[in-house]
Amino acid sequence: MLEIKNINLSLSLNDRNLADNFSFVLNPGDKAVIIGEEGNGKSTLLKLIYDESLVSGYCNYSGQILRKGSLAYLPQMFPEEELNLTLEEYFSDSMSPQILSRLGIPTEFTISSQRINTLSGGEKIKIQLAKILFSEPDVLLLDEPTNDIDLPTLEWLEDFISSCRQPVIFISHDETLIERTANVIIHMEQLMRKTKAKITVTYSTYAKYVKARNIAFDKQKQVARKQRAEHKAQMLRWKQIHDKVDHQGRNIAKEDRDSAGRLLKKKMKAVKSTGKRLEKQSEDFLELPDMEEAILTQFDPNLTIPQGKVVLAMELPELLVDGRQLSGPIALNINGPQRIGIVGRNGVGKSTFLKKIWEALAARKDITATYMPQDYAEVLDYNKPVIDFLATDGHKDTITKVRTYLGSMKFTADEMLGKIGKLSGGQKAKVLFLDMVLKKANVLVLDEPTRNFSPLSAPEIRKTLTNFGGGIISVSHDRKYLSEVCEKVFELTREGLQHYY
């Protein structure tokens, strides 16, 4: 239904390759997920598959895309020019009751005067899907449909992708959704400090792909290291022989130079030949495998909060925004190094509540709190170079330390010196995490901390936060994060804050 032949794709600005001779066939029944770190070109590849004109302004590409039937595309962001439309204007055509029912959309919703910009993230996803399905496409292309949707909508989306009659190519950071829906994995990587593009296609579940990849990685690493260790030992032995023959040649007696000299010269020729052969052997060694997953700098293991320490004691009669009530009475008490998660439906005010928590903690002198909002621009100066933001004192030792940390987190030299605004979402999140480490924060206030990390990086993020010795107060829809990192989870509802599990 869709065939991609020998696609080469690169960015016009810096000629960085995103795809190198990539070929792929999407068959009926395929539910293919594109995974990879932020900035690797996942959305660009999806746009190219749908319509080359969407990327022609910033990319160079070659190859063929054979589309057998019609394609429908759900963009990562709702089209800005349509946000002020009413639902009646958006659904200008009469919609199929079957499609509306399948998506859980009431029929009267399509003739409502409510404007789209007032809808929740989940509602926006559903109305776009309704319009797409009404056109009866043969293939669905979905770019981050899991962004900004609540847990019930996530579970609905899983069912939708799994039961969808059309083949689907989608991008998502949600591990649980990928594990439950995908049967084809398209993994985009940028290796060797972003100088080499690699795309791996595997027809299997995500869990099987990760397991096989880790086994292959460990085996290749083991073989490559063994080859290099054995070669080093061989070269050491060769050098000893070389130096011995060279020494004999230099110290040969005058009367023996004719006969013995010829023999030593012949022997040295053989030794040098062996050396060249050994050097050539190294050209055939397996490469040391390169993984680009985010490796976060660990927090100080000695950092903690006393068990009885009152971190938060907040009571609100109601949660208001511009005079509009979002939620009823809220009471939240946190003592010691607790890791708290907050969930709730879209539009109930989770981010608003978290910001109030941050405002209550920011000025405290008895703790060191830091904040990661959903919109990183609230705390990051996008016009500032990365190193200047992190090395605030400008000292040489601090700059060296920051460079070392950034290097271990796979930042290139250009990215370290470049402005924060040029970074991908995942890289900005890494900068925020490193800032927390450098400030020795013992209370983290986090709004969707894993949302910009790939599913392959997310386990490392969860491990880092699970081992954190301080307190964490977070909003998240990441089900693995909630179950692995959070000791308590609360749900914010219209009626107030309730214990979830």
Side-chain angles (χ1 to χ4, degrees), residues 37 294-300 303 339 368-374 376 379-380 386 389-390 401-402 405-406 408-409 411 420 423-454 457-468 471-476 478 481 485:
E37 298 298 315
I295 305 299
L296 283 189
T297 301
Q298 300 297 309
F299 289 90
D300 184 344
L303 188 150
R339 299 191 298 274
T368 303
T370 56
Y371 177 46
M372 173 188 271
Q374 271 196 47
Y376 301 152
V379 292
L380 290 176
V386 176
F389 175 80
L390 293 169
K401 183 179 181 181
V402 167
Y405 283 153
L406 289 170
S408 70
M409 295 162 75
F411 280 75
I420 292 173
L423 300 177
S424 69
Q427 288 173 314
K428 288 170 185 168
K430 287 184 190 180
V431 170
L432 279 174
F433 271 112
L434 181 51
D435 187 49
M436 295 173 191
V437 171
L438 294 170
K439 286 178 176 174
K440 298 188 180 297
N442 56 7
V443 177
L444 311 181
V445 183
L446 311 174
D447 198 346
E448 298 285 1
T450 60
R451 74 194 299 259
N452 278 315
F453 289 105
S454 82
S457 293
E460 182 68 27
I461 312 304
R462 295 196 298 270
K463 182 180 175 183
T464 297
L465 293 175
T466 300
N467 293 333
F468 177 63
I472 299 176
I473 308 167
S474 54
V475 166
S476 181
D478 182 337
Y481 171 87
V485 177

Side-chain angles (χ1 to χ4, degrees), residues 331-351:
L332 182 60
N333 299 299
I334 300 173
N335 298 316
Q338 288 185 304
R339 299 191 298 274
I340 302 299
I342 300 169
V343 300
R345 289 187 175 274
N346 289 121
V348 78
K350 300 182 297 297
S351 293

Side-chain angles (χ1 to χ4, degrees), residues 43-54:
S43 293
T44 298
L45 179 61
L46 200 67
K47 288 176 184 176
L48 177 70
I49 292 170
Y50 177 63
D51 180 356
E52 292 94 331
S53 68
L54 295 178

